[in-house]
Amino acid sequence: MLLILPLTACRPVEPPIDPNGTFGSSVTAMDYDPSDTHVPNVFVDGTWVGEGGRGGKIVLGGIKLPKRWHPGLTADVRWQRCDRLDPQHPVPLEEACHWTEKVVPIHRYDEVGRTWLHILPGDRVLIIPSMLGPGHPDYPGPDLPTKDFFGDSSVNNKSKELAK
């Protein structure tokens, strides 16, 4: 006796959607310190995210964020600040650079397009995940940094206010 069973389409089992899960966001690190120093390395929660520049550069790393913001949400930020290189008065790298590390609160978010990391004067740090970016009138942080390595450095007014 030959038994013939009908074939039915099998659908793969999908994992349940976790409304409290996480997602990745790119990070743009920006340096607002008015000195002629530079920030060649920035890490967020142990992941290298690039250098602290003027913003708008290639994004090299990211941050893992919960889908829903909650009070007390923080990230560990570690950055290296180095004195300007002067070929006439060379200084060993271990003397020219120093590391700073802080646990930083993450600004409230609903929707995220990118995460902006602002290193402000006095080693203050803002982390702002947002659909908006510096320069937008509704962005809650400072505008893009201005930094002149060859003359008098300046920091935009919004950055000065946030540094207080």
Side-chain angles (χ1 to χ4, degrees), residues 22-96:
T22 61
F23 67 96
S25 172
S26 60
V27 175
T28 297
M30 296 169 287
D31 178 18
Y32 292 80
D33 190 277
S35 69
D36 62 357
T37 61
H38 69 285
V39 177
N41 293 296
V42 180
F43 292 82
V44 176
D45 292 333
T47 299
W48 185 66
V49 297
E51 67 177 314
R54 293 183 182 183
K57 290 190 175 185
I58 296 171
V59 177
L60 300 171
I63 184 173
K64 185 186 282 189
L65 296 168
K67 289 181 182 175
R68 294 184 182 157
W69 180 87
H70 58 80
L73 184 60
T74 61
D76 181 69
V77 180
R78 185 173 185 252
W79 68 97
Q80 182 185 36
R81 182 169 299 284
C82 297
D83 292 332
R84 183 176 72 170
L85 297 176
D86 182 353
Q88 294 179 347
H89 301 94
V91 176
L93 191 60
E94 59 273 3
E95 292 176 30

Side-chain angles (χ1 to χ4, degrees), residues 107-138:
H107 193 273
R108 182 181 181 89
Y109 60 85
D110 293 317
E111 295 179 297
V112 178
R114 180 183 290 188
T115 299
W116 303 92
L117 190 147
H118 305 270
I119 302 171
L120 300 168
D123 292 333
R124 288 202 48 239
V125 178
L126 298 174
I127 300 176
I128 303 175
S130 178
M131 290 299 287
L132 307 174
H136 190 281
D138 295 330

